[in-house]
Amino acid sequence: MVINLTPVILLIATVYANTEKAIFLGPPTVNIPSAHPTLEDLHVDTLTPTNGAIRTHLEAQFPNIPSPHGKATWLILDELTEGQRYEVRVCWAATEPTEFKITTYELQAVFESPGLISELSEYSWSRQSRGGDHESQSKSPSNPRAPNSEREASVLFLQILAAADYYTMNKTLMAHVPSVHVDIILDPFLLGVLPHSLLPTVGYIIAVAIASWFIARHISMWICNLGAEAYREKKTQ
């Protein structure tokens, strides 16, 4: 018997319709010095496998020649495992039409690129001028690591570009693009195959499929028994 899972698949596709993601591997570990300036001095949000979700507002803008993919937001992905597969997702509401582009960079790649380091520095200063350390809502407690300890770590920079994707007769909205309310999620893969956060969903689908098979089998046997009894009664008459 074939069980049709199309409605379930369509439901999952609908849930993740406003999601942009990037899949990457944890980079080799590098030495993170304790001398200032440190990564903490950038005052950007940090995601780790144990502190892997942030709810915040991202600034967006219409694409232009200097910024063809929109406004940049920077984060740090820390405490990764070298060679481990990860996924970063940006989730937002359909009422906020925006195109996102997600890119990860190794630390050395950013520090050696004048364009990237300039963009990161500009974002860092804008965060500090707005008191940006308090803008985001992390869903798990902050990392208690000692601030002045030198360490070896697998770390990446995460760049999220947000471009407004709408047109309206409202001149205010065209002149001033509102920020986008998003969830940013760092999700490690289990065995390199399945994102950890999808494990309950997959378990639910498997449970429903198994239960449906037994129910369908029971109903099929019941219908067959009814047909056999009706045949015997007709034959005795």
Side-chain angles (χ1 to χ4, degrees):
M1 176 175 292
V2 178
I3 300 173
N4 186 9
L5 295 179
T6 301
V8 178
I9 295 173
L10 290 177
L11 177 60
I12 295 174
T14 301
V15 171
Y16 287 95
N18 292 324
T19 298
E20 185 67 29
K21 65 181 180 180
I23 297 174
F24 59 92
L25 298 178
T29 58
V30 295
N31 181 265
I32 308 297
S34 58
H36 292 280
T38 64
L39 293 179
E40 287 77 10
D41 292 329
L42 292 172
H43 296 279
V44 301
D45 288 320
T46 300
L47 292 176
T48 69
T50 57
N51 183 22
I54 289 177
R55 178 165 293 172
T56 187
H57 288 82
L58 299 187
E59 291 188 5
Q61 66 182 33
F62 287 106
N64 52 46
I65 295 177
S67 303
H69 299 291
K71 186 80 171 179
T73 296
W74 288 85
L75 296 91
I76 294 173
L77 306 179
D78 202 351
E79 300 180 14
L80 305 176
T81 300
E82 181 179 350
Q84 166 76 41
R85 195 179 185 195
Y86 296 90
E87 178 180 272
V88 167
R89 296 191 299 273
V90 177
C91 307
W92 72 101
T95 55
E96 300 177 289
T98 311
E99 287 189 3
F100 289 96
K101 182 181 179 182
I102 304 173
T103 310
T104 58
Y105 295 98
E106 294 189 16
L107 303 188
Q108 196 67 21
V110 174
F111 295 145
E112 291 179 351
S113 169
L116 292 177
I117 195 64
S118 175
E119 186 181 88
L120 174 59
S121 177
E122 180 182 344
Y123 176 74
S124 174
W125 279 110
S126 69
R127 288 264 304 181
Q128 295 179 59
S129 65
R130 299 193 311 266
D133 290 338
H134 305 288
E135 291 180 351
S136 304
Q137 298 175 13
S138 174
K139 296 183 180 178
S140 41
S142 59
N143 183 25
R145 183 179 62 245
N148 295 322
S149 58
E150 187 170 313
R151 61 193 177 97
E152 293 283 332
S154 177
V155 183
L156 287 172
F157 279 118
L158 175 66
Q159 180 200 57
I160 303 175
L161 298 171
D165 188 27
Y166 65 84
Y167 178 79
T168 176
M169 299 299 292
N170 187 319
K171 294 182 179 180
T172 301
L173 287 178
M174 293 301 295
H176 306 283
V177 177
S179 59
V180 186
H181 192 205
V182 302
D183 285 333
I184 307 173
I185 302 166
L186 173 64
D187 208 359
F189 275 69
L190 294 175
L191 303 177
V193 176
L194 180 69
H196 184 270
S197 64
L198 291 184
L199 186 61
T201 302
V202 172
Y204 174 78
I205 293 175
I206 293 174
V208 170
I210 294 174
S212 300
W213 185 86
F214 280 107
I215 293 172
R217 184 169 179 269
H218 178 75
I219 293 175
S220 177
M221 293 176 61
W222 178 67
I223 292 175
C224 289
N225 291 335
L226 286 180
E229 290 178 6
Y231 176 77
R232 285 195 298 267
E233 291 177 359
K234 185 177 180 180
K235 189 174 181 180
T236 55
Q237 293 177 356

